[in-house]
């Protein structure tokens, strides 16, 4: 079966890399681009053009669905666009594969309910990198024994949301095995706002944004007289592509909501 993949965000850094990977995959077709502008334009070899050659851009997902019959909508947009895109895709019977970060817990729950009511897969992948997924799994395994955890995530300075979806997902996975408890000194005094980072599931997440970085995370697990550091670095967006292709392939053989690539590898 050839999987017809529409991409929301195909002009972006991740979307254009994914468009190239999907175009090269023997079992997939880049079937259409969903955008909020450039309706009726085309994407040809990564370039946006007005001439009708290449993959058509639509600003209406209903029109895209009608004309191009996509099986999957790969979303690589931004925190504002991702939820309405996924809702509309499920309603139209198109399986969302969501790489965009920034969905709230309520939005995730809503998509889960919609996907299960419709019997249509919806895959949420805060990180498509296989190495990063392993880093999260290893951290959750280690937190079983070393339950005092802080996370440092570091990304390029064009990233819109903080903390990263990967860091939140890591904290969620750890919280499944970690006995909830207070970390740090009970009488801790914070003298500069934010100095101790964000509190997610009782663990601190520190978000660094700097030019030069792509996507990096360290999970620090402290014990008496020891520290275990689990670190992952993505140096190139190509690191996400095997996971993108895996999620797209898996989406057509599943009929439920999948939160995290670790459920699939
Ligand atoms: P980017 O370069 O800014 O690309 C986002 C693209 O989406 C832009 O071209 C933007 O257009 C477009 N866009 C905005 N609203 C849209 C809408 N309503 N419909 C269609 N397109 C829309 O960002 P990026 O670095 O590629 O990252 C995209 C997302 O992927 C982010 O949420 C990022 O955190 C996430 N990400 C995920 C992974 C993963 O492994 N899951 C890895 C890296 C990044 P304009 O430029 O005109 O606004």
């Amino acid at each position: 079966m050839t999987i017809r993949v529409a991409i929301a965000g195909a002009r972006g850094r991740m979307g254009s890399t994914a468009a190239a990977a999907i175009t090269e995959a023997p079992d997939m077709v880049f079937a259409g681009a969903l955008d909020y502008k450039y309706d009726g334009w085309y994407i040809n070899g990564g370039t946006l053009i007005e001439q009708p050659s290449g993959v058509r851009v639509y600003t209406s997902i209903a029109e895209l669905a009608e004309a191009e019959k996509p099986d999957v909508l790969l979303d690589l947009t931004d925190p504002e666009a991702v939820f309405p895109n996924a809702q509309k895709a499920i309603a139209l019977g198109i399986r969302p594969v969501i790489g965009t970060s920034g969905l709230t817990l309520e939005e995730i729950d809503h998509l889960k309910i919609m996907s299960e009511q419709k019997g249509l897969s919806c895959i949420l992948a805060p990180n498509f990198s296989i190495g990063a997924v392993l880093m999260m799994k290893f951290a959750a395994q280690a937190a079983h024994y070393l339950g005092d955890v802080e996370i440092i995530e570091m990304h390029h300075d064009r990233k819109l949301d903080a903390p990263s979806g990967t860091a939140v997902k890591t904290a969620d996975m750890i919280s499944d095995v970690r006995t909830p408890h207070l970390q740090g000194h009970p009488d801790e005094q914070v003298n500069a706002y934010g100095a101790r980072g964000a509190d997610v599931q009782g663990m601190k997440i520190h978000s660094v944004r700097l030019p030069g970085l792509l996507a990096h995370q360290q999970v620090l697990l402290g014990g008496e007289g020891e520290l275990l550091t689990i670190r992952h670095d993505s140096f190139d967006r190509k690191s996400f592509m095997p996971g993108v292709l895996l999620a797209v392939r898996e989406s057509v053989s599943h009929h439920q909501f999948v939160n995290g690539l670790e459920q699939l590898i």
Side-chain angles (χ1 to χ4, degrees):
M1 171 198 177
T2 300
I3 309 170
R4 299 183 60 76
V5 185
I7 303 178
R11 283 182 296 109
R13 288 161 296 199
M14 273 292 282
S16 54
T17 313
I22 284 162
T23 304
E24 275 175 27
D27 56 339
M28 291 178 202
V29 172
F30 175 22
L34 180 64
D35 211 313
Y36 67 96
K37 51 189 178 187
Y38 300 113
D39 191 48
W41 286 48
Y42 288 78
I43 294 179
N44 193 328
T47 309
L48 195 63
I49 54 171
E50 283 189 89
Q51 297 73 27
S53 160
V55 175
R56 217 201 108 152
V57 179
Y58 295 83
T59 52
S60 155
I61 189 171
E63 279 178 30
L64 192 163
E66 175 72 25
E68 310 293 352
K69 310 271 184 291
D71 301 298
V72 175
L73 177 71
L74 174 62
D75 196 295
L76 295 160
T77 58
D78 72 21
E80 297 282 306
V82 55
F83 182 58
N85 281 350
Q87 272 187 308
K88 289 178 202 162
I90 296 173
L92 288 163
I94 309 169
R95 305 155 182 87
V97 169
I98 302 173
T100 310
S101 50
L103 282 169
T104 65
L105 289 176
E106 292 73 30
E107 288 170 340
I108 293 171
D109 281 346
H110 192 87
L111 293 179
K112 183 169 191 274
I113 291 166
M114 277 190 81
S115 139
E116 281 168 8
Q117 279 176 348
K118 192 105 179 171
L120 192 77
S121 78
C122 173
I123 297 183
L124 183 58
N127 204 315
F128 283 118
S129 143
I130 306 291
V133 172
L134 292 174
M135 173 260 301
M136 291 187 254
K137 276 192 159 188
F138 296 156
Q141 253 181 302
H144 211 64
Y145 306 97
L146 295 168
D148 280 20
V149 184
E150 300 213 5
I151 297 170
I152 305 172
E153 56 96 341
M154 302 183 289
H155 283 81
H156 59 87
D157 62 350
R158 312 315 304 157
K159 187 167 175 59
L160 289 173
D161 57 306
S164 72
T166 303
V168 172
K169 177 75 187 168
T170 308
D172 280 346
M173 286 170 67
I174 291 174
S175 73
D176 288 342
V177 297
R178 172 182 172 273
T179 310
H181 64 280
L182 187 72
Q183 288 187 192
H185 198 291
D187 301 326
E188 190 172 76
Q189 196 180 316
V190 174
N191 297 323
Y193 177 73
R196 291 290 290 118
D199 193 297
V200 177
Q201 309 269 18
M203 286 161 271
K204 300 294 183 194
I205 300 182
H206 311 270
S207 298
V208 178
R209 297 289 177 264
L210 283 173
L213 295 169
L214 182 57
H216 317 260
Q217 179 165 298
Q218 293 181 55
V219 184
L220 278 62
L221 302 108
E224 284 301 315
E226 63 177 335
L227 177 74
L228 172 63
T229 304
I230 302 175
R231 175 172 178 134
H232 176 264
D233 299 273
S234 275
F235 298 115
D236 191 300
R237 287 186 177 82
K238 285 183 180 157
S239 66
F240 302 116
M241 296 308 123
V244 167
L245 299 182
L246 172 86
V248 167
R249 286 186 185 114
E250 292 284 333
S251 73
V252 293
S253 56
H254 282 73
H255 303 282
Q256 69 276 52
F257 186 80
V258 176
N259 189 353
L261 221 57
E262 70 282 357
Q263 315 288 336
L264 304 174
I265 62 169

